[in-house]
């Protein structure tokens, strides 16, 4: 299920709840489109299904033919408030295994540490990758369901030093 949530998040920009509770009726494999009303903002979105995710969704439909949910194990965990934390903790554990150590930080005004590297990070990554591949802001905004284009723009502007250097090298020598 960790593969399922990570692949879906990086391929769609969906939030954790939208992935976990995704119903099969939201998935149009024939036309390769996900049609979802987001849980947080209640926005209707349509997301083209990328090839890797398409294959995985086909497998899920085959493996769980009687379930209403695409990812029944995730739906079960997410439906239980005591088990929702298991999803986040396991994804954070995966991030640490691949070298992303600091998954939370102290923030002024908050009583506890704030998560900065978790499932939601895949949403940021999706938006950023879409922007560096030239997908226009309004298209990305419509896919992720942001109500405000400034939020989408904020995610698109995460270019770090390495990214700036890599892309500047693509410019011609004047």
């Amino acid at each position: 299920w960790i593969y399922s949530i990570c692949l879906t998040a990086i391929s769609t920009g969906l939030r954790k709840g939208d992935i976990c509770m995704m119903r099969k009726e939201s998935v149009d494999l024939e036309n390769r489109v996900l049609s979802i009303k987001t849980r947080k903002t209640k926005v209707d979105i349509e997301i083209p299904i990328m090839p890797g995710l398409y294959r995985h969704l086909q497998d899920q439909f085959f493996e769980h033919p009687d379930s209403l949910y695409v990812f029944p194990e995730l739906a079960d965990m997410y439906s239980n408030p005591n088990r929702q934390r298991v999803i986040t903790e396991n994804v954070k554990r995966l991030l640490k295994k691949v070298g992303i150590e600091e998954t939370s930080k102290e923030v002024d005004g908050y009583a506890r540490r704030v998560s900065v590297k978790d499932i939601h990070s895949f949403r940021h990554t999706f938006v950023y990758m879409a922007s560096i591949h030239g997908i226009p802001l309004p298209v990305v905004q419509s896919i992720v369901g942001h109500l405000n284009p400034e939020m989408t723009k904020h995610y698109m502007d995460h270019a770090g030093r390495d990214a700036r250097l890599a892309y500047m090298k693509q410019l011609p020598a004047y």
Side-chain angles (χ1 to χ4, degrees), residues 1-138:
W1 61 260
I2 290 176
Y3 179 79
S4 294
I5 198 165
C6 292
L7 176 64
T8 306
I10 197 85
S11 299
T12 64
L14 287 172
R15 293 178 183 92
K16 176 173 66 173
D18 293 327
I19 296 168
C20 293
M21 301 306 292
M22 186 187 311
R23 291 175 162 268
K24 287 181 177 176
E25 64 195 25
S26 300
V27 181
D28 180 350
L29 288 175
E30 184 177 332
N31 293 305
R32 297 181 181 225
V33 174
L34 299 175
S35 299
I36 296 173
K37 180 183 281 289
T38 62
R39 298 171 67 79
K40 181 177 178 182
T41 59
K42 308 296 184 220
V43 173
D44 289 318
I45 58 174
E46 283 193 341
I47 305 170
I49 301 172
M50 296 171 61
L53 180 59
Y54 176 77
R55 289 186 298 276
H56 187 62
L57 292 173
Q58 284 181 309
D59 292 345
Q60 291 300 304
F61 275 57
F62 179 75
E63 290 174 25
H64 309 286
D66 298 327
S67 176
L68 295 174
Y69 298 99
V70 176
F71 308 116
E73 189 174 3
L74 285 169
D76 182 54
M77 283 189 282
Y78 192 82
S79 297
N80 181 337
N82 296 326
R83 294 190 64 212
Q84 280 186 19
R85 168 175 265 138
V86 172
I87 299 168
T88 300
E89 288 172 354
N90 277 281
V91 170
K92 284 185 171 195
R93 194 171 298 124
L94 171 69
L95 293 173
K96 285 183 180 181
K97 279 185 181 180
V98 298
I100 301 172
E101 294 291 330
E102 191 58 41
T103 61
S104 62
K105 68 178 181 181
E106 300 285 338
V107 176
D108 290 339
Y110 287 83
R112 60 186 180 113
R113 292 177 64 84
V114 175
S115 181
V116 292
K117 300 283 192 277
D118 59 12
I119 296 164
H120 199 76
S121 299
F122 290 106
R123 183 171 171 82
H124 291 236
T125 302
F126 171 82
V127 172
Y128 176 70
M129 295 302 292
S131 75
I132 66 172
H133 286 90
I135 300 174
L137 185 139

